[in-house]
Amino acid sequence: MPIRNIAIGRPDEATRPDALKAALAEFISTLIFVVAGSGSGMAFNKLTENGATTPSGLVAAALAHAFGLFVAVSVGANISGGHVNPAVTFGAFVGGNITLLRGILYWIAQLLGSVVACLILKFATGGLVVPAFGLSAGVGVLNAFVFEIVMTFGLVYTVYATAIDPKNGSLGTIAPIAIGFIVGANILAGGAFSGASMNPAVAFGPAVVSWTWTNHWVYWAGPLVGGGIAGLIYEIFFINTTHEQLPTTDY
């Protein structure tokens, strides 16, 4: 069971060269992702006079985040696993696939990467506002909380199926594409309601730089709950359950 695989980690783990390299990779990957994702929204706002909340703006955001995450996961996969998201790291932790200490190191790197990315965007755009995540009109806090849980569940479940599962075989080579696709699709589904964060780090950077904290807890609690549930379900039912993989010709 995953609960037996959960580990705190050794005290010196946070200072080991491989852990520090992994944290640096997470910092860079998150920075790349946030610059592409948040930057695309700022660019769309500038070109359309604050039209990022239009249908075309939603499509642009979905494409930018999908492409950006595909690259961010790809460049970090061989070093840190390419989490780029505290919810993914938490899902990996509850499934026993990363220690608590290394997970905390990843979280710090991811949050710093997002904040630095937003500071760069604010400076590079001549002081434009870095938009923080918020709820759309008519959307309640509970509605957004549930939406973030469901969307992040889909994301972390995809990460497990394509990247973490030791039986993924050749499927692992397309993991970054699948992960990018599910984020893009979820933005199309939930962007008009909660903003479709699915990532506490992505919400944290803009909140710090714009100092906007209204309902910010939703963008932590929802993704962490969804990511944790996905990690537990996949680990219990699909990784820890012994079964024979079907021959390739059977599917």
Side-chain angles (χ1 to χ4, degrees):
M1 294 292 288
I3 194 68
R4 291 200 296 265
N5 296 331
I6 290 178
I8 301 298
R10 297 177 58 179
D12 64 341
E13 185 170 3
T15 59
R16 287 170 48 185
D18 63 323
L20 294 176
K21 288 179 182 178
L24 179 59
E26 285 295 309
F27 171 84
I28 294 172
S29 288
T30 307
L31 186 148
I32 290 171
F33 178 48
V34 174
V35 166
S38 293
S40 69
M42 296 170 69
F44 202 92
N45 274 341
K46 181 177 177 61
L47 294 173
T48 61
E49 297 183 357
N50 298 322
T53 56
T54 62
S56 57
L58 185 63
V59 172
L63 289 174
H65 282 82
F67 291 157
L69 188 57
F70 163 59
V71 173
V73 172
S74 296
V75 299
N78 291 332
I79 307 169
S80 65
H83 290 193
V84 201
N85 185 339
V88 171
T89 301
F90 183 68
F93 167 69
V94 299
N97 293 288
I98 189 173
T99 65
L100 176 62
L101 291 180
R102 183 177 285 244
I104 291 173
L105 198 61
Y106 277 27
W107 273 27
I108 294 172
Q110 292 156 357
L111 296 176
L112 285 176
S114 180
V115 171
V116 171
C118 292
L119 289 172
I120 291 173
L121 286 171
K122 188 173 181 65
F123 176 78
T125 58
L128 291 181
V129 174
V130 181
F133 281 82
L135 310 186
S136 298
V139 178
V141 172
L142 182 58
N143 306 131
F145 176 61
V146 172
F147 221 146
E148 288 292 327
I149 289 175
V150 174
M151 290 186 292
T152 312
F153 175 89
L155 167 59
V156 177
Y157 189 89
T158 301
V159 171
Y160 259 85
T162 60
I164 295 178
D165 192 333
K167 302 183 296 297
N168 59 25
S170 60
L171 187 63
T173 60
I174 67 163
I177 300 176
I179 294 167
F181 277 4
I182 189 61
V183 165
N186 280 342
I187 289 173
L188 291 176
F193 301 96
S194 69
S197 166
M198 299 169 277
N199 187 331
V202 167
F204 182 75
V208 170
V209 174
S210 67
W211 208 249
T212 303
W213 300 99
T214 305
N215 298 319
H216 183 72
W217 68 270
V218 170
Y219 302 105
W220 278 87
L224 292 180
V225 171
I229 293 173
L232 285 174
I233 287 178
Y234 200 96
E235 189 74 31
I236 291 172
F237 292 104
F238 302 116
I239 292 183
N240 278 299
T241 301
T242 303
H243 68 276
E244 291 292 329
Q245 186 175 13
L246 291 174
T248 305
T249 55
D250 288 351
Y251 58 91

